[in-house]
Amino acid sequence: MTIYFYKAYEPYGCFSNFSPHGIKIQGTYWSTVEHYYQAQKFVGTPDAAIIPAIHAVQTPEEAAALGRCCTRKVRLDWEEVKTKVMREAVLKKFLTHADIREVLLSTGEQLLVENSPIDYFWGCGAEKTGQNYLGKILMSVREEIRKLSLLSVISE
C-alpha cells in the first residue's frame, strides 16, 4: 500500500516540511523544516544576508517564497548537498517530536509519496512519475529510527 501526503493539514500532514514541528540544528531553532531548508541554500554566498529573514518569517510559505526568489544565487554546491540537508532536517524533526515519530513508525513498510502536483524532484508530480525524494528520505529516516530504537533496547 502507498501513503500519499502533501498538505500539512491533510492526513499524514506531519510528513510535510510545512508541518508546525520545529527543529534545533547547530544551536539554532527553526520553526519548520522548510525554514531551515530554504535558508541553507544561501550559506556562504553573497546572498547569505537573507538567512535571518528566512529564519524570522512566520510561515513556511513565506520561507519558501524567500528561498525560491530567482534573483538570489544559491550556493554552488546546492545540487550536490540539498538531499543531505533535507535528510538531516527530516531526521531531526522525527527524533525531536515523539508524536509524529510514532505516526512515521506506524506506516510499517508502506511506500511514502509526496503527492505534489508540481514537484517532480521531491514529490511525484501530476503524472506520478516524479522522483519522490522526500518520500524516500522519510522511508530512510523511518528505517534509521527503527535501528536506533533497537540499539537502545539492546544496550539497556
Side-chain angles (χ1 to χ4, degrees):
M1 193 174 132
T2 301
I3 294 174
Y4 291 94
F5 65 93
Y6 184 49
K7 298 288 186 184
Y9 55 82
E10 294 175 344
Y12 296 100
C14 63
F15 297 164
S16 167
N17 295 328
F18 286 47
S19 74
H21 297 92
I23 57 172
K24 187 173 183 179
I25 295 185
Q26 298 167 353
T28 302
Y29 178 83
W30 298 88
S31 300
T32 67
V33 167
E34 191 67 17
H35 281 78
Y36 174 76
Y37 176 80
Q38 294 299 335
Q40 296 313 296
K41 292 178 176 181
F42 305 104
V43 170
T45 73
D47 287 318
I50 194 64
I51 294 172
I54 293 171
H55 184 265
V57 294
Q58 292 295 305
T59 69
E61 290 82 6
E62 292 171 287
L66 288 174
R68 293 174 183 157
C69 176
C70 61
T71 62
R72 285 186 268 283
K73 299 276 190 238
V74 300
R75 52 197 264 190
L76 294 175
D77 66 347
W78 186 241
E79 288 304 311
E80 290 81 49
V81 302
K82 68 183 183 181
T83 54
K84 180 180 177 288
V85 167
M86 181 67 79
R87 190 181 191 288
E88 175 188 24
V90 170
L91 177 60
K92 183 62 118 172
K93 174 178 154 179
F94 286 93
L95 288 176
T96 301
H97 302 279
D99 57 337
I100 63 171
R101 180 171 57 245
E102 292 310 313
V103 173
L104 180 62
L105 292 173
S106 76
T107 62
E109 296 301 319
Q110 295 178 80
L111 180 64
L112 305 178
V113 177
E114 185 188 33
N115 198 21
S116 170
I118 57 172
D119 193 329
Y120 285 78
F121 182 80
W122 294 112
C124 66
E127 292 84 28
K128 307 283 189 266
T129 58
Q131 298 178 69
N132 187 40
Y133 271 97
L134 182 55
K136 290 174 182 174
I137 285 172
L138 284 160
M139 291 181 286
S140 166
V141 163
R142 177 178 67 192
E143 188 58 31
E144 183 170 346
I145 291 172
R146 279 191 193 129
K147 287 178 182 169
L148 289 171
S149 298
L150 184 60
L151 286 174
S152 68
V153 168
I154 291 171
S155 67
E156 289 175 358

